[in-house]
Amino acid sequence: MKGFRFTQYVPPQDPEKNTFENLLNIFLQLVTMTGGDVAEALSWLTNLDKRYNLTNPNYGIGDFIEDLKSKGYLTEENQKGEFKITGKAEQTIRKSALEEIFGKLKRGKSGQHKTTHSGTGDERGTDRRAFEFGDNLDQIALTDSLRNAQANHGLSGEYLLTEDDLEVMENEVRSQTSTVLMIDISHSMILYGEDRITPAKKVAMALAELIKTRYPKDTLDIIVFGNDAWQIEIKDLPYLQVGPYHTNTVAGLELAMDLLRRRKNPNKQIFMITDGKPTCLKVGIKYYKNAFGIDSKILAETLKLAAQCRKLKIPVTTFMIASDPYLKEFVKEFTKVNNGNAYYSSLKGLGDLIFEDYRRNRTKRF
């Protein structure tokens, strides 16, 4: 009889494919840092190639650009004929951010979150209890009920199965959450030689992709706030840039509350990523600004909205990516009035904190 000898199989490597994938990863990171400016990202990539030899004689940056176009990551079909990233590239950036920040998470069933409540629900649990009048028949745990009948009545004579023998499986109530993510785009987010806006964008993209893929029944609205506040789409995140703005926290909270009023979900929450105190307030058509310390007028309006959010059962979780003592005092007072949460996070740990708080809020009713 003919036999087979199995040895270790090493698949052939495709150097060009590996080079493209490596360059793609770097390119997408650079596009995020440049706010979607493809020309600048490619210029940076070319300089990095000169310094670190990212390409080889058989595959250069020009080949990479052609592959980006042929594979649907870049397009020149616009009025100015400039390179622009496509929807495919935007989604790849979000997936990359998700893997980078939440890569340790195990993928679960999409769109459902456990709560601490049980009863009538849409997901089978593991808890058992005695049958009660009104329970659905499809909740009956048949094996457990038959075992109870044997224990209670034995096997002799007629086989009996009574109501007292029945056990039912609890259904876990699943909840939906509406989240508004506020991102500070004031000028301080790029001051002092530290790029704070890029990690904030990555966290926003990761959270968006997580909700879209794992919790599709939840909603996520994204707001940016500087002198004013406005809503942006998820697809706009890679292009987000800091402006010459002050920090109008009041405008951001007002818009967040307005968006959440339209949502029908019982659970609502606001996440706010910022690196400073509120320094701006719009009064009529004019802006009231004071960047020197904490202004009592601006603070009063900010705390007033914090109290309104608490009354509406909308917790605000503040992620302060700065550690100045007087900023901590502001956040402490804001959190106390709102009864929310606050974290003083480094940029490195921001993603983990946001996910943990998001997941924690999925297990309780506000």
Side-chain angles (χ1 to χ4, degrees), residues 11-182:
Q13 298 292 325
D14 185 346
E16 293 189 3
K17 181 179 179 181
N18 289 337
T19 301
F20 173 79
E21 291 177 349
N22 291 333
L23 290 174
L24 178 63
N25 181 53
I26 299 171
F27 171 71
L28 295 178
Q29 296 276 354
L30 294 176
V31 166
T32 304
M33 295 175 65
T34 60
D37 190 330
V38 174
E40 186 177 2
L42 288 173
S43 177
W44 288 8
L45 183 62
T46 302
N47 290 331
L48 289 173
D49 179 38
K50 290 180 180 178
R51 184 171 182 178
Y52 298 104
N53 299 319
L54 302 178
T55 60
N56 56 66
N58 297 321
Y59 191 88
I61 296 297
D63 299 312
F64 174 65
I65 294 173
E66 290 301 316
D67 281 347
L68 285 176
K69 292 191 291 184
S70 64
K71 295 177 184 294
Y73 291 100
L74 284 186
T75 179
E76 293 178 283
E77 297 178 1
N78 53 74
Q79 292 181 347
K80 296 182 178 180
E82 298 175 342
F83 280 135
K84 298 290 183 182
I85 59 174
T86 63
K88 178 180 179 180
E90 293 167 356
Q91 185 179 26
T92 305
I93 291 173
R94 293 198 301 270
K95 287 182 177 179
S96 176
L98 175 63
E99 181 64 26
E100 178 183 342
I101 294 172
F102 300 144
K104 295 176 291 185
L105 303 177
K106 294 181 179 179
R107 187 173 298 276
K109 295 183 179 179
S110 63
Q112 304 296 327
H113 298 272
K114 294 183 179 180
T115 69
T116 54
H117 306 276
S118 61
T120 303
D122 54 6
E123 183 74 18
R124 282 286 172 87
T126 57
D127 295 335
R128 303 287 190 271
R129 62 171 174 80
F131 177 85
E132 297 177 356
F133 179 77
D135 287 333
N136 293 327
L137 295 181
D138 61 358
Q139 286 183 256
I140 294 176
L142 185 58
T143 302
D144 298 313
S145 299
L146 292 175
R147 185 182 64 247
N148 293 339
Q150 293 178 5
N152 295 335
H153 310 294
L155 296 175
S156 59
E158 294 184 0
Y159 186 82
L160 295 178
L161 178 66
T162 67
E163 180 180 338
D164 293 335
D165 302 324
L166 297 179
E167 286 189 14
V168 297
M169 292 180 289
E170 289 278 31
N171 283 350
E172 295 176 345
V173 177
R174 299 285 178 162
S175 65
Q176 299 176 14
T177 290
S178 291
T179 303
V180 172
L181 177 61
M182 295 172 51

Side-chain angles (χ1 to χ4, degrees), residues 154-291:
L155 296 175
S156 59
E158 294 184 0
Y159 186 82
L160 295 178
L161 178 66
T162 67
E163 180 180 338
D164 293 335
D165 302 324
L166 297 179
E167 286 189 14
V168 297
M169 292 180 289
E170 289 278 31
N171 283 350
E172 295 176 345
V173 177
R174 299 285 178 162
S175 65
Q176 299 176 14
T177 290
S178 291
T179 303
V180 172
L181 177 61
M182 295 172 51
I183 303 176
D184 184 351
I185 58 168
S186 62
H187 189 56
S188 61
M189 292 288 279
I190 56 171
L191 282 180
Y192 314 116
E194 185 174 32
D195 177 12
R196 297 171 176 174
I197 191 63
T198 299
K201 285 195 296 184
K202 286 185 177 181
V203 167
M205 289 187 288
L207 185 62
E209 192 66 16
L210 179 74
I211 291 176
K212 285 169 64 70
T213 57
R214 187 167 175 180
Y215 308 120
K217 292 185 179 180
D218 288 5
T219 65
L220 175 66
D221 294 296
I222 301 174
I223 289 173
V224 295
F225 62 104
N227 289 350
D228 296 289
W230 60 94
Q231 185 179 9
I232 65 172
E233 300 294 330
I234 292 174
K235 64 182 179 63
D236 298 327
L237 280 169
Y239 310 100
L240 188 61
Q241 292 181 320
V242 168
Y245 306 127
H246 286 257
T247 307
N248 192 343
T249 308
V250 169
L253 290 172
E254 287 177 339
L255 180 55
M257 292 169 64
D258 184 54
L259 290 172
L260 289 175
R261 286 191 190 99
R262 307 174 196 174
R263 300 298 185 184
K264 304 303 180 182
N265 292 341
N267 299 329
K268 302 175 182 182
Q269 60 186 345
I270 297 173
F271 289 162
M272 179 168 64
I273 303 174
T274 182
D275 70 336
K277 60 191 180 298
T279 60
C280 180
L281 190 66
K282 196 168 185 178
V283 181
I285 60 173
K286 295 184 178 181
Y287 294 97
Y288 175 86
K289 303 175 183 177
N290 182 6

